[in-house]
């Protein structure tokens, strides 16, 4: 079972992956939406996607929308550098939207557990 | 949830180092992009997304890695780029921010700078795997002083009260920590290497940045006007000069962080028209109050018994029993003589309104009520009763329940416990050799001992526990939903911490201890037998050498 981490900033992606791995998950990395789709095609055991919000060409939200249109309903968690507002948090098909800050480790852990419990 | 393991700590530190090392080239590249974007409007619109993404990413990643100052600079740049209309000096503003980021990178690149920035984050990452359950009254306190040896005693006392204390020796680390995890209170020195009022200026900056003033107390070696003025400007709630008596400062922190009103005001609405009752109840709930409705006057007395309202709102015209008649019935009960009653009526005749007042009604509101008028009229009178009741039911020196109120509350709780088949424990706590404290050190010192023990009980026990002062130096506690053994363990840990507190009488230090007896319900079925049993256990604790906790056993008590 894998969690797919999507981030155009390699260092940020590695940090997110490190947090998830410390919480007992295996991770795969993608640096943009195209790579994410390739990873999803190549690995049938991906159970959750954690994606950065601001990426060039295809943003995290656009990736989510694209996947839903393709009938992919894997749970999706979004990471943003700003405080997520209500509108963003309530995006259809989005399981959680978290702020990138020093609390990310704990917030991500809780969000992943809750998301997998609801979608397991 | 568990905190990240040490291996994660190492991994994150590696990522931090890589982040710092690659930052100069990223900043240089961004500076070049910025210059390029200023050449033409076409270049500006083409490069804007990339610039925004850089600063946004820098903010999120920097913040996640604990580089809070860097994140703030990136946030300012991002905001400047996205704000409309564009600020006039954006050229120099962005260039200056990029320069400042470069300086911050150089600072972080030095071993000392990185240690400073990460000290706050590291202290969280490396602390114990399992976060202990904090009860509502335990607080997180940040202490910022560049002379740590002078505050050891203070930290010792704060921890005796169960508060979590994090110590900082410089303002930068403290600044990052506050943004990372906001404390309940701050103890701040004034002078630091960065400046004579750098400590208080840091507080001022944080207050402006977060929009929320930090509850803070100043602890300073200086007592000059300039230092005090800077403390006032930082919104500090107290000013202490070194050397400080740790207990005095600790009590001030406790006062500063004491939770505000613990319960919403309770209002009982009596109206035979359910829709009207629901409407007025809704207005009051939106005003932050707890509201209970009854639609038949006959139900009012039972509701008052169960709900214990701070105020009753009564409709005047009810066919079975008018509001006036109900008010008279309420006043027949001695315990409700002071309870505020407000009428709701469509009566506009002021003469009749005045006549209604003579029945002991506090106010007369004419329907349809103005929402603000209803809420403020109710709140004013309910709060007045709450305050009056508090003065009548609580001990003035400690704020704990007094003897009669404690007994009454325990009676109520045991009546409920009989119905619920629940289990409680009682502790009788008595300060050892208290008369000797008063004789040797004076009544002021004795009072401080009593106040300190009261504060300790309040901060370490649960909100649901009943804590009363029974006499001079004697306290009684009902610990709900707990057996005698667990209660004894809890009280014993308080005993150990209380014994570590350093009191002062003038310049003479001394310490105090207490003894306690524990009894349990339903083994003891009534308040009186519970108290008697605990008292006998307390007597045995005193007789066996004091400074200990003894559990009552029925067999022994029968001797």
């Amino acid at each position: 079972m894998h969690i797919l981490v999507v981030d155009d900033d390699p260092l940020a992606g590695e940090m997110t992956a490190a947090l998830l791995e410390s919480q007992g998950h295996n991770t795969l990395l993608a640096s943009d939406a195209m790579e994410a789709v390739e990873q999803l095609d190549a690995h049938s055991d991906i159970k959750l996607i954690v994606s950065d919000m601001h990426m060039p060409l295809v943003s995290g939200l656009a990736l989510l929308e694209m996947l839903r249109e393709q009938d992919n309903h894997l749970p999706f968690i979004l990471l943003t550098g700003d405080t997520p507002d209500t509108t963003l948090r309530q995006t259809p098909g989005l399981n959680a939207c978290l702020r990138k800050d020093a609390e990310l480790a704990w917030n991500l852990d809780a969000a992943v557990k809750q998301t997998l419990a609801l979608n397991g | 949830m568990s905190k990240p393991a040490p291996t994660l700590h190492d991994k994150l530190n590696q990522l931090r180092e890589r982040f710092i090392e690659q930052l100069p080239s990223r900043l240089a590249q961004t500076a070049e992009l910025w210059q390029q974007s200023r050449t033409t409007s076409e270049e500006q619109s083409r490069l804007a997304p990339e610039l925004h993404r850089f600063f946004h990413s820098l903010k999120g990643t920097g913040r996640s890695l604990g580089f809070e100052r860097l994140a703030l600079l990136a946030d300012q740049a991002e905001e400047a780029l996205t704000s409309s209309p564009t600020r006039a000096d954006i050229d120099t503003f962005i260039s200056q921010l990029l320069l400042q980021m470069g300086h911050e990178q150089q600072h972080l690149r030095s071993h000392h700078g990185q240690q400073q920035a990460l000290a706050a984050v590291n202290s969280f990452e490396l602390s114990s795997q399992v976060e202990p359950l904090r009860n509502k009254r335990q607080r997180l306190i940040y202490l910022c002083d560049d002379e740590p040896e002078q505050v050891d005693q203070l930290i010792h006392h704060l921890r005796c009260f169960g508060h979590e204390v994090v110590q900082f020796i410089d303002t930068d680390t403290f600044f990052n920590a506050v943004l990372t995890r906001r404390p309940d209170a701050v103890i701040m020195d004034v002078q630091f290497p960065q400046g004579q009022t750098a400590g208080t200026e840091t507080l001022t900056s944080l207050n402006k940045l977060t929009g929320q003033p930090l509850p803070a107390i100043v602890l300073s070696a200086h007592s000059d006007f300039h230092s005090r003025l800077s403390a006032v400007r930082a919104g500090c709630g107290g000013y202490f000069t070194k050397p400080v008596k740790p207990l005095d400062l600790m009590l001030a922190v406790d006062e500063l962080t004491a939770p505000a009103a613990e319960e919403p005001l309770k209002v009982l609405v009596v109206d035979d028209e359910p829709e009207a009752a629901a409407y007025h109840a809704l207005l009051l709930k939106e005003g932050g109050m707890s509201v209970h409705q009854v639609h038949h006057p006959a139900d009012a007395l039972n509701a008052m018994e169960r709900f214990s309202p701070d105020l009753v709102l009564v409709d005047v015209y009810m066919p079975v029993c008018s509001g006036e008649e109900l008010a008279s019935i309420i006043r027949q009960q001695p315990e409700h003589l002071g309870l505020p009653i407000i009428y709701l009526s469509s009566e506009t005749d002021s003469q009749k309104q005045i006549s209604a007042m003579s029945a002991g009604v506090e106010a007369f509101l004419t329907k349809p009520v103005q929402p603000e008028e209803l809420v403020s009229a109710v709140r004013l009178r309910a709060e007045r009763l709450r305050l009056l009741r508090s003065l009548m039911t609580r001990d003035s020196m400690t704020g704990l329940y007094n003897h009669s109120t404690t007994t009454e509350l325990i009676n109520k709780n045991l009546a409920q416990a009989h119905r619920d088949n629940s289990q409680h424990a009682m502790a009788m706590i008595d300060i050892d050799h208290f008369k000797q404290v008063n004789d040797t050190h004076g009544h002021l010192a004795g009072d401080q001992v009593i106040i300190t023990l009261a504060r300790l009980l309040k901060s370490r026990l649960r909100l649901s526990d009943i804590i009363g002062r029974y006499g001079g130096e004697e306290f009684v506690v009902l610990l709900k939903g707990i057996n005698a053994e667990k209660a004894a363990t809890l009280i014993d840990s308080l005993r150990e911490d209380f014994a570590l507190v350093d009191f002062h009488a003038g310049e003479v230090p001394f310490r105090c201890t207490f003894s306690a007896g524990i009894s349990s319900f339903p083994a003891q079925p009534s308040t009186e037998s519970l108290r008697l049993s605990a008292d006998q256990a307390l007597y045995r604790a005193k007789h066996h050498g004091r400074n200990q906790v003894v559990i009552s056993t029925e067999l022994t008590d029968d001797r």
Side-chain angles (χ1 to χ4, degrees):
Chain A
M1 303 293 284
H2 284 89
I3 295 179
L4 176 62
V5 175
V6 191
D7 202 312
D8 64 306
D9 181 344
L11 193 140
E14 283 191 50
M15 181 189 64
T16 304
L19 297 182
L20 292 167
E21 280 160 10
S22 78
Q23 292 153 13
H25 307 288
N26 295 314
T27 60
L28 295 167
L29 276 171
S31 63
D32 56 42
M34 187 169 302
E35 266 189 45
V37 171
E38 287 169 5
Q39 294 277 40
L40 288 164
D41 288 344
H43 298 86
S44 59
D45 66 342
I46 293 172
K47 61 187 174 180
L48 171 67
I49 300 165
V50 178
S51 173
D52 187 31
M53 169 69 163
H54 287 86
M55 295 186 291
L57 299 181
V58 181
S59 72
L61 272 181
L63 172 61
L64 171 64
E65 193 176 330
M66 193 175 70
L67 292 174
R68 298 307 185 233
E69 282 171 3
Q70 295 176 5
D71 219 19
N72 180 315
H73 294 286
L74 283 177
F76 198 102
I77 292 177
L78 207 54
L79 307 181
T80 173
D82 299 311
T83 305
D85 60 22
T86 304
T87 304
L88 182 57
R89 232 190 288 263
Q90 291 174 349
T91 303
L94 185 63
N95 293 91
C97 186
L98 308 175
R99 185 180 185 232
K100 287 183 170 183
D101 58 21
E103 304 283 324
L104 182 61
W106 297 271
N107 294 336
L108 186 57
D109 185 38
V112 169
K113 280 176 177 157
Q114 182 182 338
T115 300
L116 292 179
L118 289 173
N119 292 269
Chain B
M1 78 183 73
S2 63
K3 294 206 174 185
T7 49
L8 174 66
H9 173 73
D10 294 336
K11 176 69 172 177
L12 290 180
N13 274 347
Q14 287 169 28
L15 291 172
R16 289 182 179 111
E17 283 176 23
R18 279 174 49 196
F19 178 87
I20 293 165
E21 290 306 317
Q22 70 182 226
L23 191 53
S25 62
R26 294 179 73 184
L27 288 172
Q29 184 183 336
T30 302
E32 192 178 318
L33 281 183
W34 173 246
Q35 293 307 318
Q36 195 174 334
S37 76
R38 303 305 289 168
T39 54
T40 65
S41 57
E42 290 81 16
E43 286 297 283
Q44 180 178 334
S45 54
R46 183 177 74 87
L47 295 173
E50 189 170 349
L51 284 165
H52 174 263
R53 213 162 41 239
F54 169 75
F55 289 121
H56 186 83
S57 175
L58 186 61
K59 174 174 74 171
T61 306
R63 183 157 281 150
S64 300
L65 291 171
F67 301 133
E68 193 63 39
R69 280 183 179 264
L70 201 57
L72 289 172
L73 294 170
D75 193 23
Q76 290 175 55
E78 184 189 18
E79 189 178 331
L81 286 179
T82 55
S83 68
S84 179
T86 307
R87 53 189 294 162
D89 65 338
I90 190 165
D91 235 335
T92 53
F93 187 69
I94 295 292
S95 298
Q96 278 172 3
L97 285 176
L98 286 166
L99 272 180
Q100 288 177 53
M101 290 176 204
H103 292 150
E104 181 68 15
Q105 187 273 342
Q106 284 169 15
H107 176 67
L108 292 172
R109 194 160 183 278
S110 72
H111 182 264
H112 179 60
Q114 186 163 346
Q115 292 305 308
Q116 275 187 318
L118 298 181
V121 177
N122 286 344
S123 73
F124 298 138
E125 284 174 2
L126 289 175
S127 56
S128 67
Q129 294 271 329
V130 177
E131 192 148 356
L133 276 181
R134 276 174 58 170
N135 77 44
K136 191 177 172 181
R137 286 170 162 155
Q138 284 178 310
R139 275 145 260 161
L140 174 64
I141 297 171
Y142 287 173
L143 196 159
C144 187
D145 196 316
D146 58 346
E147 298 167 315
E149 66 283 348
Q150 296 198 22
V151 292
D152 284 345
Q153 273 289 295
L154 177 58
I155 292 172
H156 160 82
H157 280 85
L158 289 166
R159 286 175 178 160
C160 281
F161 272 58
H163 302 318
E164 183 181 350
V165 187
V166 184
Q167 193 179 358
F168 303 93
I169 59 171
D170 68 271
T171 53
D172 282 357
T173 308
F174 166 80
F175 187 95
N176 280 336
V178 171
L179 293 175
T180 300
R181 184 180 175 197
R182 185 179 170 83
D184 297 299
V186 172
I187 300 169
M188 172 63 84
D189 198 351
V190 174
Q191 181 173 304
F192 284 86
Q194 297 91 327
Q196 286 200 345
T197 54
T200 41
E201 283 165 19
T202 301
L203 290 178
T204 304
S205 299
L206 281 163
N207 291 341
K208 284 177 183 168
L209 183 67
T210 64
Q212 276 180 289
L214 279 162
I217 286 179
V218 161
L219 174 59
S220 174
H222 306 87
S223 90
D224 57 287
F225 182 86
H226 184 55
S227 298
R228 289 182 180 272
L229 179 61
S230 70
V232 168
R233 285 179 173 163
C236 294
Y239 196 104
F240 287 79
T241 52
K242 296 172 181 173
V244 70
K245 293 190 167 66
L247 188 57
D248 293 344
L249 179 45
M250 194 281 304
L251 290 173
V253 171
D254 198 57
E255 194 74 32
L256 187 71
T257 57
E262 286 161 10
E263 263 184 61
L265 298 167
K266 294 180 178 178
V267 180
L268 178 67
V269 176
V270 185
D271 198 322
D272 61 331
E273 293 177 18
E275 294 82 8
Y279 172 67
H280 296 127
L282 179 62
L283 295 181
L284 296 171
K285 279 174 187 168
E286 288 184 355
M289 300 178 211
S290 174
V291 188
H292 187 68
Q293 305 169 46
V294 298
H295 304 137
H296 198 290
D299 298 328
L301 292 182
N302 273 341
M304 289 169 64
E305 181 68 27
R306 280 183 275 108
F307 186 55
S308 296
D310 298 304
L311 183 142
V312 179
L313 185 66
V314 180
D315 186 56
V316 168
Y317 297 113
M318 294 184 287
V320 173
C321 169
S322 75
E324 273 187 84
E325 289 165 336
L326 180 59
S328 296
I329 290 170
I330 291 171
R331 297 284 185 236
Q332 287 170 2
Q333 327 292 317
E335 63 268 26
H336 298 318
L337 273 178
L339 185 68
I341 301 172
I342 293 183
Y343 278 166
L344 285 174
S345 170
S346 39
E347 180 62 64
T348 56
D349 185 331
S350 60
Q351 192 57 45
K352 287 188 178 176
Q353 290 184 354
I354 291 169
S355 169
M357 300 295 193
S358 69
V361 165
E362 305 285 324
F364 205 108
L365 299 180
T366 307
K367 291 188 206 175
V369 297
Q370 301 302 315
E372 298 80 18
E373 187 187 356
L374 175 67
V375 172
S376 75
V378 167
R379 190 195 305 285
L380 176 66
R381 290 164 179 83
E383 279 179 353
R384 192 169 62 204
L385 176 71
R386 181 74 67 86
L387 175 62
L388 185 64
R389 187 189 282 150
S390 176
L391 291 173
M392 287 162 54
T393 61
R394 290 179 188 271
D395 170 64
S396 58
M397 183 163 68
T398 62
L400 302 180
Y401 294 121
N402 60 26
H403 187 292
S404 57
T405 303
T406 304
T407 302
E408 183 184 326
L409 287 173
I410 294 175
N411 283 340
K412 275 190 179 179
N413 275 271
L414 295 194
Q416 184 68 41
H418 274 297
R419 289 192 288 269
D420 296 346
N421 285 316
S422 53
Q423 167 185 249
H424 302 323
M426 178 183 279
M428 297 288 290
I429 297 168
D430 192 284
I431 299 170
D432 297 327
H433 303 298
F434 187 71
K435 184 177 186 302
Q436 191 170 298
V437 171
N438 277 333
D439 292 348
T440 305
H441 304 291
H443 281 272
L444 287 181
D447 289 352
Q448 185 160 75
V449 172
I450 289 172
I451 290 168
T452 300
L453 181 50
R455 293 291 183 89
L456 184 68
L457 294 170
K458 267 202 229 180
S459 62
R460 296 280 290 271
L461 298 181
R462 299 162 300 177
L463 285 174
S464 58
D465 296 327
I466 297 166
I467 311 169
R469 184 182 176 199
Y470 238 45
E473 72 274 22
E474 191 171 75
F475 301 81
V476 64
V477 179
L478 186 76
L479 298 130
K480 297 209 240 173
I482 191 175
N483 67 22
E485 286 71 30
K486 287 197 172 75
T489 300
L490 174 55
I491 298 297
D492 202 51
S493 71
L494 298 190
R495 179 191 61 77
E496 286 172 356
D497 285 334
F498 182 70
L500 296 174
V501 176
D502 291 314
F503 298 95
H504 291 87
E507 295 309 313
V508 181
F510 66 95
R511 287 188 170 183
C512 277
T513 62
F514 70 70
S515 305
I518 310 286
S519 62
S520 68
F521 173 95
Q524 302 296 341
S526 73
T527 303
E528 188 56 23
S529 64
L530 200 55
R531 191 192 66 76
L532 196 62
S533 181
D535 205 36
Q536 286 169 351
L538 172 61
Y539 176 81
R540 292 210 311 282
K542 295 284 187 176
H543 193 65
H544 291 166
R546 295 183 164 80
N547 192 18
Q548 59 188 273
V549 178
V550 170
I551 297 176
S552 155
T553 58
E554 282 183 87
L555 183 61
T556 310
D557 294 346
D558 287 343
R559 283 195 246 134

